[in-house]
Amino acid sequence: MQNLQEAHILQQPIESFIISAEEVAHVQPDNSLEHALLVLVKSGYTAIPVLDTTFKLRGLISKAQILDSIIGIEKIEPDRLHKTTVAEVMSTTFACVKKDAPFEKALSYSINNPFICVEDDRGSFLGIITRSKLLGYLSGYLHEQKKKN
Ligand code: 4BW
C-alpha cells in the first residue's frame, strides 16, 4: 500500500468536506434554552454551533448541557428552560480550523470532536466538517489503494 505521506492525502485541503453554514442547524447566544432544545430535538443532532448575529462562532450547545442545567437538587425544573439563555450554558471551547487547513489537522481534531467548525480569515463561520465525512473519505481512499496493490 502506498505511503499516506507520499500520497499527500494528509496535506489535502479540507475545503471540499465543509457542510456549508446554511445547512448547519445553529442557535444564537441570547436564545432561550427552550428554543435551543427545540432546535436540537427537531434537527436530531446531539450538539450544534452557537453563532452570533454577525455569524461569528461563540460556542457549542448540546442536549446533555441543557438537561444538566434544568436538574435541581431533587427534581427537574423545566421553568429554567425559558429563564436561561444559551450563552449561560454553552461550552466555549471547541475545535475550529481555517478552510485551508490540511486533512491531517481535521482528522486529528475529529478523534475527540464529532464535528469541527470552519472559519474564514476574519473569523466568520463557514460551516462544519463532520467525523463521518472524514472517515468516509479515508475509508474510500484506503479501499482504492488496496485495489491498486
Ligand atoms: O439528522 C441526521 N441526518 C443524518 N444523515 N445523519 C444523522 C442525523 N443525526 C445524526 N446523524 C448521524 C450522523 O452519522 O449520527 C451521527 C452522530 O450525530 P450527532 O453529532 O451526535 O448529532 C452523525 O455523525 P456525523 O455526520 O459525523 O455528525 C457529527 C456531529 O456533527 C453530529 C452533530 O453534532 C453535528 N452535525 C452534523 N451535521 C449537522 C450537525 N450539526 C448541525 N447541523 C448539521 N447539519
Side-chain angles (χ1 to χ4, degrees):
M1 193 181 295
Q2 199 178 357
N3 182 304
L4 286 182
Q5 285 287 354
E6 278 171 31
H8 299 300
I9 181 179
L10 296 177
Q11 273 71 50
Q12 181 179 326
I14 41 104
E15 203 168 350
S16 61
F17 300 101
I18 300 174
I19 297 175
S20 69
E22 304 82 63
E23 296 174 66
V24 176
H26 68 273
V27 290
Q28 295 184 351
D30 57 358
N31 287 153
S32 67
L33 289 189
E34 185 174 38
H35 175 78
L37 189 57
L38 283 170
V39 174
L40 281 159
V41 170
K42 286 289 170 198
S43 66
Y45 296 116
T46 308
I48 53 175
V50 181
L51 306 178
D52 69 16
T53 48
T54 64
F55 249 60
K56 296 259 187 329
L57 183 63
R58 295 298 175 209
L60 304 181
I61 185 87
S62 70
K63 286 176 191 161
Q65 285 169 317
I66 296 176
L67 292 178
D68 191 47
S69 76
I70 62 167
I71 292 176
I73 292 173
E74 278 191 346
K75 61 183 171 80
I76 292 173
E77 296 176 5
D79 274 3
R80 291 191 195 173
L81 283 176
H82 55 88
K83 288 183 188 154
T84 314
T85 64
V86 167
E88 292 172 78
V89 169
M90 69 187 187
S91 49
T92 51
T93 49
F94 41 78
C96 193
V97 295
K98 302 278 185 226
K99 70 170 191 240
D100 56 358
F103 185 86
E104 186 174 19
K105 187 169 189 178
L107 188 63
S108 141
Y109 280 174
S110 77
I111 295 169
N112 292 317
N113 301 278
F115 67 94
I116 301 141
C117 297
V118 187
E119 289 178 338
D120 67 14
D121 290 334
R122 288 197 249 159
S124 293
F125 180 76
L126 293 175
I128 60 170
I129 295 179
T130 59
R131 187 185 280 161
S132 61
K133 280 214 169 190
L134 294 172
L135 291 182
Y137 179 77
L138 189 59
S139 167
Y141 173 81
L142 293 174
H143 189 71
E144 284 305 310
Q145 293 302 309
K146 199 173 164 191
K147 276 202 295 190
K148 281 187 202 162
N149 292 289

